[in-house]
Amino acid sequence: MKKMIKNACAVAVMAASFATMAESTDMRVIGAISPAACTPNLSGNGTVDYGTIAANGLSADNYNALPAKEISLTIACTAPAKVALSAISGRKGSALVYYNAEGAAGSGNGFIKPGSPSYAGFVGFGLDGEKRIGAYALTYSNVTLDGVVANVSSSFDKTAWSKSTNNSIYDNQGRIKFDTWYTGEEAIPSSFETMSATINVYSYLNKSSELDISKPIKLDGLTTLEMVYL
């Protein structure tokens, strides 16, 4: 043990000696200032349950719209902060959308719009064998910041922000986007301590002729909402 310590000291001295021979050297002083801690929370443990759907009630020739659902979202911060949310599908490769075209977020343009905005992005419920079970879209509504009614602002680079035209959480071209909220006239991120909103869920299923309805089929949609500080 003593020998190892001596060797370590010798190396350190040699390194210091060589450093003094150089004409210049760099020193960095680094650190980070941590923003306020913010915690997102979804009601119902983040689960939206469609329960049991009767197979004999599904159309064999058309896509099948499901009733709209909703879930509550809150973000609580220890001090005023500006944050944004970004959504990624956990079931990429399963969205029942035009041309099966999913971008990086796993979303695409839905075949039908069961109550959702025209340009909402849809993601998948998973696969039944190799068949796509269906798709769902998510949108914001009833947004407040510290009790004040707020609007949704979106960006693809967290720099250029613009008012959201449809409040869709997913982009219909599959691009990864960021959503934040504002209470003023300009669509720039507002600081807040408490944000609350309703997330609306709009869903449809594939034609029953495309699925094996002789056995149970599990809807298994998964969305990850990532929070970033601005």
Side-chain angles (χ1 to χ4, degrees), residues 158-170:
K158 294 181 286 184
T159 300
W161 296 92
S162 60
K163 181 178 180 180
S164 175
T165 57
N166 56 26
N167 292 347
S168 177
I169 292 178
Y170 280 109

Side-chain angles (χ1 to χ4, degrees), residues 141-221:
S141 64
N142 306 318
V143 182
T144 64
L145 300 182
D146 296 329
V148 178
V149 175
N151 296 304
V152 181
S153 181
S154 299
S155 174
F156 293 105
D157 61 6
K158 294 181 286 184
T159 300
W161 296 92
S162 60
K163 181 178 180 180
S164 175
T165 57
N166 56 26
N167 292 347
S168 177
I169 292 178
Y170 280 109
D171 176 61
N172 70 345
Q173 298 180 48
R175 296 171 293 181
I176 295 175
K177 72 182 186 76
F178 302 88
D179 294 316
T180 190
W181 312 275
Y182 66 99
T183 56
E185 294 297 323
E186 297 184 48
I188 57 176
S190 293
S191 297
F192 63 87
E193 291 188 32
T194 302
M195 175 271 194
S196 65
T198 299
I199 293 181
N200 308 284
V201 185
Y202 303 100
S203 308
Y204 62 87
L205 300 179
N206 207 341
K207 305 167 187 177
S208 64
S209 58
E210 293 292 319
L211 301 171
D212 182 5
I213 58 174
S214 65
K215 60 177 179 60
I217 298 174
K218 181 181 179 182
L219 275 63
D220 190 26

Side-chain angles (χ1 to χ4, degrees), residues 3 8 13 33 46 55 60 80 86 88 97 101 106 144 148 167 178 183-184 211 225:
K3 183 177 181 180
V13 171
I33 298 175
S86 181
I88 297 290
V97 294
T144 64
V148 178
N167 292 347
F178 302 88
T183 56
L211 301 171
L225 294 174

